[in-house]
Each structure stands twice: as C-alpha cells, then as structure tokens.
Amino acid sequence: MDPYRIPLEFYVKETRIMTKNTIVVGLQWGDEGKGKVVDYLARDFQLDARFQGGSNAGHTVQVKDGKFVFHLIPCGLLHKNMIGVIGGGCVFDPDVFFHELEALEKYDPAIKERIKISKFCHMIMPYHLLLDRIREESKHGIGTTKRGIGPAYEDKYARVGLRIGDLYNPEYFEKKLRANISRKNLLLMEIYHAEPLSDGEIYARYINYAERLSSMVVDEHDIFAEAEKNDQKIIFEGAQGALLDINYGTYPYVTSSNTIVGSALTGLGISPLLIGRKLGVMKAYTTRVGQGPFPTEDETAVGKKLRKTGNEYGATTGRPRRCGYFDASVVKYSARLSGVKEIFLTKFDVLSGQEELKIAVGYSNAGDFDPFLADQLQPVYEKMPGFKEDISDCRDFQDLPSAAKDYVRMIEYATKLSVRYISVGADREATIEI
Ligand code: GDP
Ligand code: IMO
Ligand code: MG
C-alpha cells in the first residue's frame, strides 16, 4: 500500500466541516431581522461569531424573558450553552460593550464566561466618536449611526489603529495613543474648530478597560481549533446588509466594512472550508436607514403603514427607517455577492392588511441592479391582491392564506432563490420552516 496516500477519513472530515456551519447575512440595507434569525437557529450551534462592523449593528431578539438589542455581543448568547466570539474584523467600543454586558448579566450572571473577544479587534477611541459626530453634523454627512465606525476603520487601514491586544503592552499603547491624539487634536482644532482631547484621561480609561476585559481576550483561532477538535458547530453572524458593503454597496452611502459572506474569512481569519450553509435574510419589503439611493422607497401611505405596522425605527439610533416595496433585483444582486441560494424571509406578518401587494421585478431603464445607477432606477412592479388575515400564529406554509402563498412564490420566482424559512413575528417561535 502507498504509505503517502491520504487516508479517506481526511476527506470525510473535510466534507463534514464544510457542511456543518452556517453563515447568516443581510441581503438588503440592514435590519432584515438577522438577530431573530440567528437566535432562532442558534439552538443547533455551539459558537456564534461576529466578523465585521461594531456597535453600529442593532440585532433584536425577542424571547419570553423580554426583548434584547445586541450591538457588539453575538446575539446567539441567549442560549445558555453558546460561546460568543467577537472576531478580529470587528471594531470594538469598550464603553458600549460594558453597557451591553451589564444589561445581559441580569439575564445570565455568568454570561461573561461565554464571551471571547479577539485581541486583533481595533478599538473605537473617543476621537473616532467625535469625528464621526462632527462630520455627520457637517454638510458631508451620510446618515451614519455616529458610533465611530468609519473613523476607526480609517485608522485601521492607515495603520495607526489601536488593537485590544495593544492594551497589554502599556508602553507601546501609550506611545501610539499620544501620537494619535496629537494628530487628531490638530485636525479637531485646525479643521473642525473643536476642543482638543486629553491623552492622560483616555489612557487611564483604556488601561482600566484592559483589566476588565482581560479574562475575555483571546486569539480566536484557539477557540476555533478547540471547536473543531470537539466537533462543535459555528454560526457566523453578519451585521448590516449587502447594499451597505464598502466595496459593492451603494457607495458612498455604505458602512466601512465588508458585509458579504467573504468578509467572514478575513474577519475571523478562517478557511473557506469552515463556511457551510449560506443563509440570506431579507424582509418581505425593503427598508433603509440613513441617506442613499433606494429605488423602491414609498413615501406615501403605503410606506407609512409599513413603518407603523413593522415598527420600523432603528434599533441603534431610534431613527425612523425609510420603507418601500420588495425589490427582487436588489436581492438577486446581493445573493450573487455572497453565493446565497437559501432565504430566511422576515416580517411577513407586517404585510397583512395591505390592500394590494407589489414587488419590483426589474427596472424600465436598466437590466440588473447596478449600484452606480441606483439613484436613477425606475422599478417595474408586479401587482397581487393582498391578504387581511393575521398570520402571526401560522406555523405551516400550507396554512397561509392563498394570497400570502402566492406572494412568497412570486418572490422565489423573481429572485430565483429558495425561501426556506418565513418569520411571521418578532418572537423566536413565530417561524415557519418550509
Ligand atoms: P437586524 O439588525 O437584522 O437584526 O434587525 P433589527 O433587529 O434591527 O430589526 C428587525 C426588527 O424587526 C426587530 O425589532 C425585530 O424584533 C423585528 N422582527 C424580526 N422578525 C420579525 C417578524 O417576522 N415580524 C415582525 N413583526 N417583527 C420582526
Ligand atoms: P444591522 O446589523 C441598518 C447604516 C447607517 C448609515 C450607514 C453608515 O442592525 O443591520 P455607519 O455608522 O456604519 O458608518 O453608517 O450604514 N447602517 C445600518 N443600517 N442596519 C445596520 O446594522 C446598520 N449599520 C450601519 O444608517 O446609513
Ligand atoms: Mg439592526
């Protein structure tokens, strides 16, 4: 027998790794219900990993113990066996983190033991928050969440950022912090005519965070190696949505990270083999918060009704979300970016009571969705009769009113994607599996 032959078990193991994990990503402009989806699926997983973004995210989970809004902490942690990983691709605001932790400790006093934070995460610093706010208040604002996300990623890519791991080398941290603050103060005073920041106070605050964070700081690769050894399953929790992706979204009205499936590879430093199932989340209609093009936006009574019924107000900033019709071309575009074929359709109950249902199946002045043309696209709508029944107690596709079933089939036909789950309410249980 050939001594160098790779044993069959190797291939079996590789195949098993490839199929057991799931990634959840948003296919619209964020707030698709990723929180609900991750929490719903989480019972089958042992690790929940965030890989990009920061506290700009607002992932809502509604269970019988109440409603929780997660910004930085992975939202699968309401399941008491789950380990949450905040990967190195995220930007980490210690202040927001400790507030969030405090709220969650009321639910599970030992939750801290289940949270692992990558030492590779860049930190949001007070000057990032200040710069985000000042820019937003100028005429160059794009409607950010003012959580310092853009300025923090800017520093990361300019190679002057400060990482969580740097906190444990106080001399290095102090030197870099002082250099950063003197540069930012110049900017603040000379360009923005704002007050300068004090480096002594910020240094003391962050060194204090270092101590409080220390038991949670890890190299996430150790966690993943351990998970693989123990045959544990990982759910990867995307933040924002594909149309907010820094490369392929409706630039410049986007966030400052990649929000598509590929981002999990770099944001956690993992092999593509670890990503098995790719699940896209989309609302049964469309919303967007902040500025930027939105071809199917409806500012008449229909949009207002969606906002009211769907309670469409930002989970992070409380801003009213812009609402409009489902846009099949947008979702087709997003699904292609992430190789998504399977869909978790959310907020379907919100459509009940609309006289007429409409989805955009294309544009009269263009073929496919193109972010470069997004502010000029003229949607072409397919119309269907609406349904009046309350569907929030429905747990079987067959029990949906026929107009509701037709709407789902229409979405599948127009997007060429397969709807595998339908959410009919914010609660974990309000879910139909197909
Ligand atoms: P995420 O950022 O993608 O996690 O979404 P958000 O949490 O920001 O926004 C989704 C909102 O819709 C939250 O308030 C959820 O509780 C709620 N939600 C999720 N799924 C459903 C659903 O199927 N029906 C209704 N009515 N609300 C839902
Ligand atoms: P989740 O994970 C919806 C939007 C902001 C703004 C743009 C840039 O809850 O779906 P940023 O603060 O990131 O620099 O803002 O991106 N945005 C979101 N919109 N859901 C989010 O996250 C968002 N995170 C950022 O409104 O238009
Ligand atoms: Mg949200």
Side-chain angles (χ1 to χ4, degrees), residues 168-205:
Y168 302 96
N169 182 350
E171 246 170 65
Y172 173 89
F173 178 70
E174 185 171 9
K175 194 169 115 214
K176 292 284 175 181
L177 178 68
R178 283 192 198 288
N180 276 356
I181 292 189
S182 63
R183 271 194 304 263
K184 302 296 180 196
N185 277 346
L186 263 181
L187 186 67
L188 285 169
M189 292 189 297
E190 301 295 324
I191 310 284
Y192 296 119
H193 310 294
E195 291 294 311
L197 291 162
S198 139
D199 47 16
E201 188 269 323
I202 297 174
Y203 176 76
R205 177 139 57 103

Side-chain angles (χ1 to χ4, degrees), residues 16 21 45 57 203 224 273 284 317 353 356 379 401:
R16 189 156 36 82
N21 301 324
F45 296 86
Y203 176 76
F224 293 133
L273 284 180
T317 59
E356 178 184 69

Side-chain angles (χ1 to χ4, degrees), residues 60 71 111 135 153 163 179 212 220 249 287 298 309-310 383:
T60 315
H71 299 291
I111 199 162
R135 281 189 216 159
Y153 277 114
R163 295 170 299 171
R212 293 167 66 198
E220 66 264 50
T287 65
D298 186 284
T309 321
K383 295 180 187 169

Side-chain angles (χ1 to χ4, degrees), residues 5-206:
R5 222 190 81 216
I6 297 173
L8 183 63
E9 295 80 61
F10 174 84
Y11 296 106
V12 172
K13 185 162 178 236
E14 288 283 279
T15 313
R16 189 156 36 82
I17 291 170
M18 283 171 74
T19 50
K20 68 179 183 174
N21 301 324
T22 292
I23 184 165
V24 172
V25 288
L27 297 184
Q28 292 157 324
W29 277 277
D31 302 328
E32 297 90 349
K34 299 174 293 293
K36 144 105 196 208
V37 168
V38 169
D39 170 74
Y40 176 76
L41 298 171
R43 58 176 183 220
D44 294 331
F45 296 86
Q46 290 78 44
L47 265 79
D48 175 3
R50 279 277 308 267
F51 49 89
Q52 45 78 221
S55 50
N56 47 351
H59 297 178
T60 315
V61 178
Q62 205 164 297
V63 287
K64 60 178 177 335
D65 295 299
K67 179 171 143 177
F68 298 83
V69 181
F70 293 80
H71 299 291
L72 263 174
I73 297 179
C75 69
L77 283 186
L78 292 186
H79 294 262
K80 297 222 165 123
N81 298 322
M82 183 72 92
I83 301 284
V85 179
I86 303 176
C90 298
V91 283
F92 183 88
D93 184 333
D95 189 43
V96 174
F97 173 78
F98 283 113
H99 272 101
E100 198 172 329
L101 182 65
E102 207 180 299
L104 284 167
E105 277 173 335
K106 293 193 187 98
Y107 171 80
D108 174 10
I111 199 162
K112 206 170 146 179
E113 289 159 27
R114 301 191 281 120
I115 301 177
K116 311 290 169 195
I117 308 163
S118 169
K119 63 183 180 186
F120 297 98
C121 281
H122 278 249
M123 288 185 290
I124 304 261
M125 305 300 291
Y127 40 84
H128 296 140
L129 294 165
L130 200 55
L131 287 168
D132 199 359
R133 184 166 58 75
I134 292 174
R135 281 189 216 159
E136 278 304 304
E137 285 164 7
S138 79
K139 62 178 191 298
H140 305 294
I142 62 153
T144 74
T145 60
K146 300 188 193 169
R147 295 302 186 107
I149 306 298
Y153 277 114
E154 276 170 39
D155 276 2
K156 170 177 174 169
Y157 288 104
R159 292 159 296 187
V160 295
L162 288 163
R163 295 170 299 171
I164 292 179
D166 298 330
L167 289 172
Y168 302 96
N169 182 350
E171 246 170 65
Y172 173 89
F173 178 70
E174 185 171 9
K175 194 169 115 214
K176 292 284 175 181
L177 178 68
R178 283 192 198 288
N180 276 356
I181 292 189
S182 63
R183 271 194 304 263
K184 302 296 180 196
N185 277 346
L186 263 181
L187 186 67
L188 285 169
M189 292 189 297
E190 301 295 324
I191 310 284
Y192 296 119
H193 310 294
E195 291 294 311
L197 291 162
S198 139
D199 47 16
E201 188 269 323
I202 297 174
Y203 176 76
R205 177 139 57 103
Y206 276 71

Side-chain angles (χ1 to χ4, degrees), residues 25-28 241-250 258-263 278 329-341 369 371 417:
V25 288
L27 297 184
Q28 292 157 324
L243 276 303
L244 291 171
D245 182 271
I246 183 78
N247 290 354
Y248 301 107
T250 46
N258 289 108
T259 58
I260 57 179
V261 161
S263 186
K278 298 177 280 288
S329 310
V330 158
V331 165
K332 254 196 320 204
Y333 173 83
S334 304
R336 189 168 76 168
L337 290 172
S338 281
V340 159
K341 302 272 189 279
F369 177 80
L417 300 167

